[in-house]
Amino acid sequence: MRLNKDFIKEEFIGLRIQVYKSKIKSLEGLYGEIIDETKNTFVIKTENGIKIVPKESSKFLFFYNDYTIFIDGKLLTKRPWERLKIKIIKKI
């Protein structure tokens, strides 16, 4: 599996996630489980309750099996079924 390319097409609900960087500084470092997803946001269940995190202005660390995957939220600003059609081209 080419992790970043194939991972974007996966179902994110139920995965552990950490907000690595965000324009909203209070969200940085937020860690929890994704319980819902919309086109523009993740709903994350944390120790302190439920938080809504915008995808567009954040960068995320996903904990998937034994891997830690870093993805810019701008790549994820689609509905889950629309992500299946994404083509990622790596520039050299």
Side-chain angles (χ1 to χ4, degrees):
M1 173 164 109
R2 296 173 312 234
L3 281 176
N4 283 350
K5 289 184 177 184
D6 293 341
F7 180 73
I8 288 176
K9 297 178 181 181
E10 292 289 323
E11 176 64 45
F12 293 148
I13 295 175
L15 291 181
R16 294 281 174 188
I17 188 173
Q18 180 176 0
V19 180
Y20 177 74
K21 195 170 188 180
S22 179
K23 288 183 181 177
I24 305 168
K25 297 300 179 194
S26 64
L27 295 177
E28 287 185 7
L30 185 74
Y31 175 80
E33 180 180 343
I34 298 172
I35 58 172
D36 196 13
E37 176 185 6
T38 66
K39 179 179 179 181
N40 296 311
T41 64
F42 285 124
V43 180
I44 302 174
K45 182 179 179 185
T46 67
E47 293 179 346
N48 301 325
I50 295 174
K51 305 288 184 184
I52 298 174
V53 180
K55 294 177 183 177
E56 179 83 22
S57 61
S58 303
K59 295 180 182 184
F60 302 99
L61 291 173
F62 288 88
F63 301 95
Y64 181 73
N65 295 336
D66 293 333
Y67 299 102
T68 302
I69 301 168
F70 174 81
I71 296 184
D72 190 335
K74 292 177 185 177
L75 292 174
L76 305 174
T77 56
K78 302 222 181 290
R79 293 177 180 89
W81 61 88
E82 292 173 339
R83 283 198 316 261
L84 294 174
K85 301 174 190 174
I86 292 178
K87 291 183 181 180
I88 297 176
I89 299 171
K90 184 177 181 181
K91 294 182 180 179
I92 297 176

